[in-house]
């Protein structure tokens, strides 16, 4: 038992038969309409309009005038906000039984997000006029609905909680991977957070999409395992999923996925895609991550060396992970090592790391999975015995040449890419050319560590592709926002002044 709920992990058998859809039971379970009595639920049901949305279709756009609220009956929706790059950035998912659009309807304010169907979905539409009729007819009971919506409206924009994916398509690259063992390990971890069903081609034989929807209604999480030799079933898994999980043996020569056209299509890119690199012998082979990421553009990636890595992936998939963000602070930033030691002694798992300046350098050691002793030894050798600021020069630009710092960082971290680190990681630099903070999740690790610690006047800036980078603390000394954008569960931030 966890949190009063029974943890269930099961492979659904052919005898499981979900019950037929009951609209009134479905509506009664929605918090927004919980106070309505039987007559009110019947009237609400009569006001609803059923809509079918193909995957990729827009329900409403950011800035649209509010004219209705929507209830998701099947499938899944994604809430997006347009970024500075002109592309939609995922805020989170809207799952079955959840409402969307009620804040704009009640507050009479334009839509604050773009909402699209991330897969084939059905929604129930309650028009503005229908909602007002219910308010007039059931004023006391509908007051609860107004309270629920008001709480969401008053929440700070960056604290509004969307749902996380519930259905996952596990699509192994080929038959050379034991995908069944991976899927069962993932299922075991997910079952700690709610019931989790695993469905493969044999289980779903002769079953239709309505049956699959019923299974999704019965379980908190559903894993669809795409057998490598069954193309039709793999495509169906992809159509049912909120999220793609793409496992592959890292040592293989990179090549496109069998579903490359589908996975790379615009509507598929609305869904999170997670590349899982399975490593033999417990060691990460440098360069494999970048090579495989070139086959799945825009995907997040994870390294698997042992069972604990699969547990971390499960937490990241469902927003139950813990991220660690470390600030700049010069020599005082070495206190971050003590913070990490205390967290480890307390049994706190860290699933992803980010930082700026000295925080980025210490964070890179954590993301490389160095022990406390290794960090103390390596950082003492680099920053104490190595005397990184001893290459003084005539101060036209800075007091030092910066070559010694670059050499020491490269000596300690090697030529690995950021993507080769064991944990998801980013560092932040200040881009003086663009006048903004830049977040780096790939590229040569030593280079971006050199850039993020380039204190103006002490170390010369880093010039890369005709742009100028300096210490990230110039613009963002505690870069929590890139971690929040990844929709992790909890964030631990340590700031040294």
């Amino acid at each position: 038992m966890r949190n009063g709920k029974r943890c269930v992990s099961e492979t659904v058998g052919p005898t499981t038969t979900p019950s037929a859809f009951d609209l009134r039971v479905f509506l009664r379970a929605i918090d927004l309409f919980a106070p309505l009595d039987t007559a009110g639920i019947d009237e609400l049901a009569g006001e609803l309009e059923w809509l079918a949305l193909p995957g990729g279709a827009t329900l409403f756009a950011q800035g649209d005038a509010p004219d209705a609220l929507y209830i998701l009956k099947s499938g899944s929706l994604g809430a997006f906000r347009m970024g500075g790059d002109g592309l939609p950035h995922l805020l989170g998912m809207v799952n079955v039984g959840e409402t969307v659009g009620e804040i704009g309807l009640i507050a009479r304010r334009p839509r604050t997000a773009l909402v699209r169907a991330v897969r084939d979905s059905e929604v129930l539409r309650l028009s503005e006029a229908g909602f007002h009729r219910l308010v007039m007819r059931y004023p006391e009971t509908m007051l609860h609905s107004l309270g629920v919506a008001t709480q969401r409206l008053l929440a700070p924009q960056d604290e509004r909680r969307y749902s996380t994916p519930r259905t996952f398509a596990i699509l192994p690259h080929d038959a050379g991977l034991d995908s069944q063992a991976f899927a069962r390990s993932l299922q075991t971890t997910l079952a700690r957070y709610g019931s989790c069903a695993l469905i493969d081609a044999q289980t779903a034989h002769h079953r239709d999409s309505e049956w699959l929807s019923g299974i999704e209604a019965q379980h908190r999480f559903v894993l669809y395992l795409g057998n490598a030799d069954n193309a039709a079933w793999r495509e169906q898994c992809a159509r049912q999923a909120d999220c793609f999980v793409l496992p592959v043996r890292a040592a293989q020569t990179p090549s496109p996925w069998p579903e490359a056209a589908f996975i790379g299509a615009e509507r598929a890119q609305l869904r999170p895609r997670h590349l899982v690199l399975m490593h033999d012998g417990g060691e990460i082979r440098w360069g494999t991550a970048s090579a495989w990421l070139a086959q799945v553009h825009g995907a997040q990636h994870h390294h698997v060396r042992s069972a604990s890595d699969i547990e971390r992936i499960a937490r990241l998939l469902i927003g139950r992970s813990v991220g660690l963000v470390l600030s700049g602070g010069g020599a005082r930033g070495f206190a971050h090592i003590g913070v990490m030691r205390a967290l480890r002694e307390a049994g706190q798992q860290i699933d992803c790391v980010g930082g700026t300046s000295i925080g980025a350098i210490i964070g890179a050691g954590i993301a490389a999975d160095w022990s406390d002793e290794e960090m103390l030894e390596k950082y003492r050798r680099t920053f104490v015995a190595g005397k990184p600021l001893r290459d003084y020069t005539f101060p036209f630009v800075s007091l030092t040449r910066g070559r010694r710092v670059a050499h020491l960082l490269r000596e300690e971290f090697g030529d690995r890419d950021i993507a080769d680190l064991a944990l998801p990681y980013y560092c932040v630099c200040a881009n003086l050319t663009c006048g903004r903070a830049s977040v780096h999740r790939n590229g040569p690790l030593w280079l971006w560590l050199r850039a993020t610690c380039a204190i103006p006047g002490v170390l010369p800036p880093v010039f890369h592709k005709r742009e100028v980078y300096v210490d990230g603390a110039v613009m963002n000394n505690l870069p929590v926002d890139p971690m929040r954008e990844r929709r992790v569960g909890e964030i631990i931030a340590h700031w040294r002044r």
Side-chain angles (χ1 to χ4, degrees), residues 23 26-27 48-50 69-71 73 123-126:
L23 176 59
F26 176 75
L27 294 175
L48 295 174
E49 177 186 0
W50 292 48
L69 69 82
Y70 301 88
I71 308 164
K73 175 186 175 292
V123 297
L124 306 174
R125 181 180 186 271
L126 177 61

Side-chain angles (χ1 to χ4, degrees), residues 217-449:
Q218 290 179 346
H219 296 274
R220 179 69 183 86
F221 307 108
V222 178
L223 302 178
Y224 293 105
L225 176 58
N227 305 62
D229 57 350
N230 191 331
W233 167 242
R234 287 171 66 96
E235 289 184 11
Q236 187 169 3
C237 291
R239 288 196 300 271
Q240 289 289 134
D242 299 336
C243 175
F244 297 123
V245 180
L246 309 172
V248 65
R249 292 182 63 247
Q252 291 180 217
T253 301
S255 60
W257 246 258
E259 298 82 13
F262 182 88
I263 293 173
E266 180 185 2
R267 70 172 187 171
Q269 292 181 6
L270 298 175
R271 290 175 266 185
R273 293 169 298 160
H274 294 264
L275 174 65
V276 179
L277 299 167
M278 314 291 289
H279 295 275
D280 298 324
E283 294 292 331
I284 296 174
R285 295 183 56 180
W286 294 1
T288 55
S290 296
W292 278 107
L293 284 168
Q295 302 296 329
V296 192
H297 295 286
Q300 299 180 46
H301 75 285
H302 311 274
H303 296 284
V304 173
R305 302 157 297 167
S306 64
S308 62
D309 291 321
I310 298 179
E311 293 177 3
R312 183 186 70 251
I313 292 171
R315 292 191 293 268
L316 288 164
L317 288 175
I318 62 174
R320 295 298 190 99
S321 57
V322 176
L324 177 65
V325 181
L326 304 176
S327 74
R332 289 169 296 181
F334 288 106
H336 296 320
I337 299 175
V339 169
M340 188 62 211
R341 170 180 284 181
L343 290 172
R344 286 171 170 168
E345 289 176 353
Q348 177 62 62
Q349 293 288 338
I350 298 299
D351 300 307
C352 41
V353 186
T356 193
S357 195
I358 187 63
I361 294 173
I362 303 300
I366 297 170
D369 213 12
W370 291 349
S371 66
D372 299 331
E373 292 73 21
E374 284 179 298
M375 282 197 286
L376 283 171
E377 178 187 350
K378 290 175 182 291
Y379 291 133
R380 183 182 291 115
R381 181 168 60 229
T382 299
F383 293 101
V384 180
K387 296 179 171 50
L389 300 180
R390 282 295 179 91
D391 56 342
Y392 299 113
T393 187
F394 196 81
F396 283 117
V397 176
S398 61
L399 293 173
T400 66
R401 293 184 176 88
R403 295 174 184 171
R404 187 166 183 80
V405 172
H407 170 75
L408 290 169
L409 287 172
R410 196 165 190 172
E411 191 174 69
E412 227 39 273
F413 288 98
D415 290 324
R416 77 178 81 191
D417 193 276
I418 291 176
D420 295 322
L421 293 170
L423 303 184
Y425 169 85
Y426 66 86
C427 67
V428 172
C429 305
N431 186 324
L432 298 186
T433 304
C434 301
R436 58 177 174 81
S438 59
V439 181
H440 301 275
R441 302 182 189 274
N442 51 53
L445 177 60
W446 72 268
L447 174 66
W448 295 116
L449 291 182

